[in-house]
Amino acid sequence: MLAERLTKRYGPATVVDDLSFTVRPGVVTGFLGPNGAGKSTSMRMLLGLTRPDSGTATIGGRAYRDLTYPLRHVGALLETSAPHRGMTAVGHLSWLARSNRIPRRRVDEVLDAVGLTGAARKRVGTFSLGMGQRLGLAAALLGDPPVLVLDEPVNGLDAEGIRWLRELLRAKAAEGRTVLVSSHLMAEMAQVADELIVISRGRLLAETSVSEFIGRHGRTFVRVRTPEPLRAAQELQAKGATSVRRAADGGLEVDGLPAGEVNRIAAAAGVPVEELSTHTGSLEETFLKLVDDGGDPTHV
Amino acid sequence: MSETLAAARAEFTKMRAVRATSVALLLFAAVSVFIAALGGWSAKGAIESDNPGLRSDFTPEQAGLDGILYGQLALIVFGVLMMSGEYTSGMMRVSLLAVPRRGRLYLAKTAVTAVAALAVALPVTVVSYLVTQLALGPHGSTFDADGVPRALAGAVVYLTLMSLLAVGVAAAARSAVLPLAVLLPLVLVGSQILSVIGATKEVARWFPDRAGAQMLTVDSGDALTGLLVLLAWTAAALTAGWLRHRSWDG
């Protein structure tokens, strides 16, 4: 799946700005960005719903609207796509199946897969948010597609549903399928994605693996607890720490020195150390830091 | 071609799955037949009691076509709902994911609307006519009376075109409210009133429903003109709807 120089403007606002990325098969690719970063618009351009002002989006070399029976190639879940409220879950999936000549038995299979068999004949209008999301996922899985494009799929799912979805996405990727999943929740991404596409204000900030992303942009620091924080901070700053901060619980967060070095400096200065540990910033912090840097790609 | 056929079959399934569209079709049948029976029954009473309230131009044949003139309101609602259902929820995105070619989806939708309207209008028109004659009893006419088969055929074509007109208007408006607010009062009272007022009479003759009504008027000399005028309206509405549908972006 390929986005090449996608640009979309709504009036004076450029929602997606010269965005290019590649989504490879066999891994889960996380599409990350704060709300309003242009994720949904980009996905809709990939799926032929929104016309880009310039640039192209292709899936397996073809534009979405040129795919023959597209549901068999791409399964998509969009935040803003909802079935007609007066339809039953079965009714909705049945017409979808017919539109792409998908065997009828798949309707029952996907309903079972998402745990909606019991609600199959209920009107969609009576569904909870979570059930609606499961139905959307059922629709995405209907054509057993080699490509999945899911916009904020965890929205409305309970803890068990989220775990189930995570396993599903990993399993699909392990089968060699292409999985693109967006989220504004970085912690969620860290648990499911292998690769990351990070955007902010419509522009690409990073396209890399999760571990590399954290390694490159993440903050590694050493936590120190001591009864003499002031003296410790002075000593450490004098001996090469790039920054020493006081955490809320009174401990120190030391940047720029490895744990062993911190320990030696403290011992040499006669400062007692009660606790010493190394921390790697979470994806959440890493992401927020990157976006805070102004969303300027030169920072990457 | 087979992809278009699959899209049309899907639209057919969708139509049956959405409760509102099915209800509208049922309502069309029920209202038409009920009014047809009621009209025949009250006319019979009027004839037998020499009631002066009976229209001077009353014929049992024409009375047999009154039912569908009221029933058509439900058929217009059906046409509007077939299209507007895509806009009232996020359905259009789902539909375009399944059938990404705009033209294919629009064609499938209009074709299914036309076929469904035709399939329901044909028996309902015939049954309504027969029910009126039955209610008229000894004053009733027959199915093969002069000009009747042509008027019945004209009625079926008229009803089908009106439902397509509704599809076009709904697609152009991208909603249900505006098309219903325009089409229902127009058909129910609007053009009737306008055609009575001298100043607007000439104009009202060219309204889709007034012109089309010539098709179901027994022994009308303007049936063909009426058909052409209604065809022009329907084509214009469907074209406007298509232009709006093609430019849908979201």
Side-chain angles (χ1 to χ4, degrees), chain A residues 31-43:
Chain A
F31 196 23
L32 208 58
N35 284 328
K39 300 187 298 292
S40 297
T41 306
S42 303
M43 285 178 146

Side-chain angles (χ1 to χ4, degrees), chain B:
Chain B
M1 186 58 217
S2 68
E3 269 189 275
T4 308
L5 203 64
R9 291 184 58 204
E11 284 301 324
F12 185 66
T13 310
K14 197 193 279 181
M15 177 190 84
R16 287 187 309 165
V18 174
R19 192 163 37 177
T21 43
S22 318
V23 168
L25 278 184
L26 282 175
L27 212 59
F28 161 66
V31 169
S32 299
V33 175
F34 177 73
I35 299 281
L38 193 69
W41 177 74
S42 69
K44 175 170 178 271
I47 293 168
E48 288 173 356
S49 63
D50 247 344
N51 191 327
L54 196 66
R55 291 164 52 177
S56 58
D57 60 350
F58 174 87
T59 66
E61 291 83 7
Q62 196 57 52
L65 287 148
D66 280 349
I68 55 154
L69 283 179
Y70 290 92
Q72 70 169 319
L73 294 170
L75 207 57
I76 288 168
V77 172
F78 164 73
V80 168
L81 290 179
M82 277 296 282
M83 199 68 209
S84 68
E86 300 284 338
Y87 291 104
T88 47
S89 53
M91 187 78 163
M92 184 59 93
R93 288 196 179 88
V94 189
S95 296
L96 284 174
L97 284 175
V99 184
R101 298 272 176 154
R102 307 291 159 98
R104 182 174 288 148
L105 183 64
Y106 194 72
L107 181 69
K109 216 173 237 316
T110 47
V112 167
T113 308
V115 169
L118 185 72
V120 177
L122 182 64
V124 168
T125 302
V126 172
V127 168
S128 296
Y129 178 82
L130 293 177
V131 162
T132 305
Q133 307 315 321
L134 208 65
L136 278 165
H139 314 287
S141 181
T142 56
F143 186 69
D144 54 2
D146 227 16
V148 168
R150 202 212 62 190
L152 291 181
V156 173
V157 175
Y158 167 81
L159 291 169
T160 306
L161 288 177
M162 286 301 277
S163 70
L164 284 178
L165 178 80
V167 169
V169 173
R174 291 183 184 167
S175 82
V177 179
L178 188 69
L180 291 179
V182 171
L183 290 174
L184 293 186
L186 176 80
V187 172
L188 194 61
V189 286
S191 48
Q192 199 95 31
I193 291 172
L194 291 177
S195 64
V196 177
I197 302 168
T200 49
K201 196 175 172 177
E202 264 310 297
V203 183
R205 260 187 355 122
W206 301 95
F207 282 14
D209 60 320
R210 284 277 99 192
Q214 293 299 325
M215 297 161 68
L216 47 95
T217 303
V218 180
D219 284 333
S220 167
D222 291 331
L224 186 64
T225 316
L227 170 66
L228 293 176
V229 171
L230 180 55
L231 266 178
W233 278 99
T234 306
L238 284 176
T239 305
W242 159 239
L243 292 176
R244 286 276 283 169
H245 177 73
R246 195 181 56 173
S247 67
W248 189 87
D249 194 62

Side-chain angles (χ1 to χ4, degrees), chain A residues 127-185:
Chain A
F127 276 20
S128 66
L129 187 60
M131 288 165 84
Q133 200 73 347
R134 283 168 185 268
L135 179 58
L137 286 165
L141 297 173
L142 190 62
D144 198 21
V147 178
L148 285 172
V149 178
L150 310 175
D151 194 8
E152 303 270 1
V154 304
N155 269 6
L157 292 184
D158 54 18
E160 194 227 340
I162 292 173
R163 197 162 48 240
W164 165 80
L165 178 67
R166 228 180 260 153
E167 276 157 25
L168 176 84
L169 297 182
R170 287 215 200 89
K172 293 292 174 192
E175 290 168 18
R177 297 176 206 245
T178 307
V179 181
L180 178 67
V181 50
S182 84
S183 179
H184 65 283
L185 297 170

Side-chain angles (χ1 to χ4, degrees), chain A residues 82-201:
Chain A
H84 196 288
R85 294 173 55 82
M87 274 189 196
T88 64
V90 165
H92 179 57
L93 294 173
S94 296
W95 80 258
L96 277 176
R98 281 211 156 168
S99 69
N100 279 245
R101 290 191 199 276
I102 294 161
R104 177 64 176 71
R105 62 176 167 77
R106 283 292 298 161
V107 172
D108 299 323
E109 285 174 15
V110 294
L111 277 171
D112 189 46
V114 302
L116 275 181
T117 305
R121 306 209 170 266
K122 280 195 182 152
R123 305 265 167 203
V124 173
T126 67
F127 276 20
S128 66
L129 187 60
M131 288 165 84
Q133 200 73 347
R134 283 168 185 268
L135 179 58
L137 286 165
L141 297 173
L142 190 62
D144 198 21
V147 178
L148 285 172
V149 178
L150 310 175
D151 194 8
E152 303 270 1
V154 304
N155 269 6
L157 292 184
D158 54 18
E160 194 227 340
I162 292 173
R163 197 162 48 240
W164 165 80
L165 178 67
R166 228 180 260 153
E167 276 157 25
L168 176 84
L169 297 182
R170 287 215 200 89
K172 293 292 174 192
E175 290 168 18
R177 297 176 206 245
T178 307
V179 181
L180 178 67
V181 50
S182 84
S183 179
H184 65 283
L185 297 170
M186 316 309 144
E188 179 53 38
M189 285 284 85
Q191 299 198 54
V192 70
D194 308 296
E195 298 284 318
L196 277 184
I197 295 163
V198 186
I199 68 169
S200 176
R201 290 174 219 172

